Amino acid sequence: MKIIMIGSHLRTTGGITRVIKNYLQGGLGDKVDLEFFPTYYGSNHIINILYFIKQYLKLYFNLVLFKKKYDIAHIHMSYRGSFIRKKYIIRLLNRLNIKIILHMHGSEFKDFFNESTDNQKKEIKDTLNKATIILALGEQWKKYYQTISKAHVISLDNAVFPKINNTLPEEKVYITTMGVLSNRKGTYDLIETALKIKGKIDPKYKFLIAGDGEVEKVKSKVKELNLEDLFIIPGWISDQEKIDEIYRKSIIYVLPSYNEGMPMSILEAMSYGLPIISTNVGSISSVVEEDNGFIINPGDTEILVNLLIDLLNDQSKIKLFEENNRNKISEKYNVYVSLDKIVSLYKSIL
């Protein structure tokens, strides 16, 4: 099988890139004849536009002039700019009768669709309908895409590599979150939580918020509230060894988001055995259940404070959640299991 996988350049940050890297590192290229084709460079707006034009022309010439053949195009798509770029590629592939798997990642796709004009909504639906199969992140997103597309929709969970974490309990001191620092991710809810919890937990525990976005604004807010002793805000971390060290020294992973798909950061944290506290948005509630963490409503900082205090004082529950999370990753959210499903899907399409 000749497969072209289309997505963001591997230099970019974020969950989509992590998914693609996991597929590549997990050996998808050993199972099929795979070519990875980036269409987004992750730089400033002008460079991104020029890069896309260059890549689109390259793809057009390869397919139309040089008659390069692909059996399937596996396209990773989000919303807004990602949708605009991919719709042109989808039109080209559709005209050439190349089968399309549209792998949807956008945590804000519902907002993107709802805020669109009637003509834009029609264009979105027409684009989705050109897919042979839409891959949705969990059953909740599957049901949503079935309401706006006639394409066949399949639920496929994100996946990560299983890990071994032998860090001693007394060395685990971080209450961690990773991603974009923003209102959408609940960053400021974490600051409010820290304000309410200060003096009620062992001072060895620190909130570690790693990521890009509103880093300086968050630091200013923490300083304004005199919470600098409770926070570590390192910015975006690209060094995998440093990320690994943070997860290993973490005791709880918190993601109080207001909308999500299926966050890779939660799965990564689970792979290290971390208990999860997150919100009932996207497909999170299908991943975080009673045996491995807690689900709250977005913005409910009172419950978040109580859960953190109770969990930090209950090492037996933390140990139980650790074991359950490692098992979940190994059995259900394992990259190697996911790759087998992907290859089976390719075969079924052909």
Side-chain angles (χ1 to χ4, degrees), residues 188-216:
Y188 299 98
D189 290 343
L190 277 181
I191 296 175
E192 183 180 337
T193 298
L195 186 63
K196 293 176 179 179
I197 209 172
K198 188 172 184 178
K200 298 178 182 178
I201 59 174
D202 191 319
K204 74 175 182 179
Y205 295 121
K206 309 292 181 185
F207 288 87
L208 192 152
I209 308 177
D212 52 9
E214 300 171 5
V215 178
E216 294 307 316

Side-chain angles (χ1 to χ4, degrees), residues 174-182 187-188 190-192 194 206-237 246:
Y174 299 145
I175 301 167
T176 297
T177 188
M178 292 198 185
V180 179
L181 279 64
S182 64
T187 306
Y188 299 98
L190 277 181
I191 296 175
E192 183 180 337
K206 309 292 181 185
F207 288 87
L208 192 152
I209 308 177
D212 52 9
E214 300 171 5
V215 178
E216 294 307 316
K217 183 179 177 181
V218 169
K219 286 182 177 179
S220 296
K221 188 66 176 178
V222 167
K223 184 176 181 179
E224 175 191 327
L225 296 174
N226 195 29
L227 296 173
E228 291 171 291
D229 59 325
L230 268 179
F231 279 90
I232 299 172
I233 307 173
W236 182 263
I237 302 173
I246 289 171

Side-chain angles (χ1 to χ4, degrees), residues 106-115 140-141 144-145 282:
S107 58
E108 295 183 69
F109 195 91
K110 290 181 186 179
D111 295 336
F112 166 62
F113 182 81
N114 292 334
E115 293 165 4
Q140 290 88 343
W141 279 103
Y144 171 72
Y145 287 116

Side-chain angles (χ1 to χ4, degrees), residues 37 53-70 92 95-96:
F37 191 84
I53 292 172
K54 177 180 79 73
Q55 290 297 92
Y56 179 85
L57 291 174
K58 179 180 177 181
L59 183 63
Y60 179 88
F61 291 145
N62 283 340
L63 292 173
V64 177
L65 297 182
F66 303 124
K67 306 297 181 184
K68 195 168 185 177
K69 299 295 182 182
Y70 298 101
L92 173 62
R95 287 200 304 268
L96 297 171

